[in-house]
Amino acid sequence: MYFVSKNVNKYNEIKELLLDNGLTHLRLEHKKIELKEIQSNFLDEVATVKVKQAFELFGEQVLIEDDGLFIESLNGFPGVYSSFVYDTLGNNGILDLLKNKTNRKAVFKSVIAFYEGKNIKTFIGEVKGLISDNIQEGGWGFDPIFIPENAEKCFGQMDLNSKNKYSHRRSALVQFYKWYIQNINKIVK
Ligand code: IMP
């Protein structure tokens, strides 16, 4: 199965998650390609369009992932626009928007979508947390500012294994894996 994403960090985390959790029935090959993102208010709609594109490109079973950081005091912003906001405002810009806010609650969401040419399946994972007061070192994307619930440190300060214990990605991937194993015989090769 191909994991299609321009982001090698996502692939590395997923590879490690599969290994660590003994999810050995799934062999993923990374196809490092940027898929187009439609504008939509729903993460699973974006993921559905992306996974169709991925299938059109490779004609094999494909897996893609789409994420968003939803900040409570900003009414869910940047949400589905997280990628654009990260590229334009960055973590500094997010902290500026939260300068006078005491509510630092946020949710990181991951949608994993699978398509084998017949049915699209999507799986949503999320992790609640807080936006830190300062940018910490390490990690990628929003890792330096996102502290998962029940943790002392932000994702950026954790090693891969620790981040994977909490992450939105883990939750979506485990759901997908369970479904995949149950349905593997019905899935068209
Ligand atoms: P994407 O559209 O799925 O690539 O994700 C939206 C934004 O969230 C991008 O800027 C990613 O870098 C960022 N992002 C997604 N997952 C993570 C994560 O696990 N840690 C930090 N940033 C992430």
Side-chain angles (χ1 to χ4, degrees), residues 5-7 9-10 13 37 43 46 50 65-69 79-87 108-111 139-144 146 155 163 167-169:
S5 170
K6 67 162 186 200
N7 189 333
N9 296 303
K10 288 185 188 178
E13 289 183 16
E37 266 192 39
L43 221 50
V46 178
K50 268 188 173 179
E65 190 202 345
D66 201 64
D67 303 286
L69 179 65
V80 287
Y81 307 106
S82 293
S83 186
F84 179 71
V85 169
Y86 180 78
D87 293 343
F108 226 139
K109 295 189 187 177
S110 159
V111 176
W140 54 280
F142 299 112
D143 280 351
F146 184 81
F155 273 162
K163 178 180 175 184
S167 87
H168 48 320
R169 182 161 296 112

Side-chain angles (χ1 to χ4, degrees), residues 1-2 54-55 57-63 115-117 189:
M1 186 187 309
Y2 294 129
F55 183 81
L57 284 171
F58 298 107
E60 296 280 341
Q61 294 179 19
V62 283
L63 200 66
Y115 190 36
E116 41 23 337
K189 290 262 151 71

Side-chain angles (χ1 to χ4, degrees), residues 4 18 21 41 47-49 62 85 101 114 154 161 171 175 180:
V4 187
L18 292 172
N21 292 283
N41 290 334
T48 298
V49 173
V62 283
V85 169
K101 310 268 189 201
F114 169 81
C154 66
N161 282 343
S171 162
Q175 291 174 59
Y180 184 73

Side-chain angles (χ1 to χ4, degrees), residues 2-187:
Y2 294 129
F3 178 70
V4 187
S5 170
K6 67 162 186 200
N7 189 333
V8 75
N9 296 303
K10 288 185 188 178
Y11 174 68
N12 287 339
E13 289 183 16
I14 285 180
K15 211 170 55 177
E16 202 63 31
L17 273 165
L18 292 172
L19 256 176
D20 273 5
N21 292 283
L23 311 180
T24 48
H25 288 284
L26 192 59
R27 296 238 155 68
L28 283 186
E29 185 181 328
H30 187 200
K31 293 284 183 189
K32 194 167 182 281
I33 281 177
E34 179 160 16
L35 297 166
K36 283 192 198 104
E37 266 192 39
I38 57 153
Q39 247 186 9
S40 156
N41 290 334
F42 305 100
L43 221 50
D44 56 346
E45 219 167 77
V46 178
T48 298
V49 173
K50 268 188 173 179
V51 83
K52 276 189 191 156
Q53 274 179 65
F55 183 81
E56 275 161 25
L57 284 171
F58 298 107
E60 296 280 341
Q61 294 179 19
V62 283
L63 200 66
I64 66 100
E65 190 202 345
D66 201 64
D67 303 286
L69 179 65
F70 296 75
I71 300 176
E72 194 171 283
S73 64
L74 303 178
N75 299 323
F77 183 82
V80 287
Y81 307 106
S82 293
S83 186
F84 179 71
V85 169
Y86 180 78
D87 293 343
T88 49
L89 301 179
N91 287 331
N92 271 315
I94 299 272
L95 293 193
D96 278 350
L97 291 173
L98 293 178
K99 219 174 345 193
N100 300 314
K101 310 268 189 201
T102 46
N103 176 3
R104 317 284 297 186
K105 285 184 192 165
V107 182
F108 226 139
K109 295 189 187 177
S110 159
V111 176
I112 283 191
F114 169 81
Y115 190 36
E116 41 23 337
K118 265 181 133 183
N119 299 302
I120 294 172
K121 290 290 293 180
T122 55
F123 303 84
I124 302 173
E126 57 178 60
V127 55
K128 290 187 184 138
L130 296 172
I131 301 298
S132 59
D133 293 328
N134 302 300
I135 297 181
Q136 306 298 328
E137 270 182 36
W140 54 280
F142 299 112
D143 280 351
I145 61 165
F146 184 81
I147 307 167
E149 206 171 43
N150 302 321
E152 306 277 303
K153 300 178 193 169
C154 66
F155 273 162
Q157 296 166 298
M158 296 179 182
D159 58 26
L160 202 58
N161 282 343
S162 310
K163 178 180 175 184
N164 276 347
K165 287 197 181 101
Y166 295 96
S167 87
H168 48 320
R169 182 161 296 112
R170 174 210 177 99
S171 162
L173 185 73
V174 168
Q175 291 174 59
F176 162 68
Y177 189 83
K178 283 186 184 152
W179 171 84
Y180 184 73
I181 292 306
Q182 277 169 9
N183 291 280
I184 200 163
N185 294 326
K186 292 182 229 151
I187 294 169

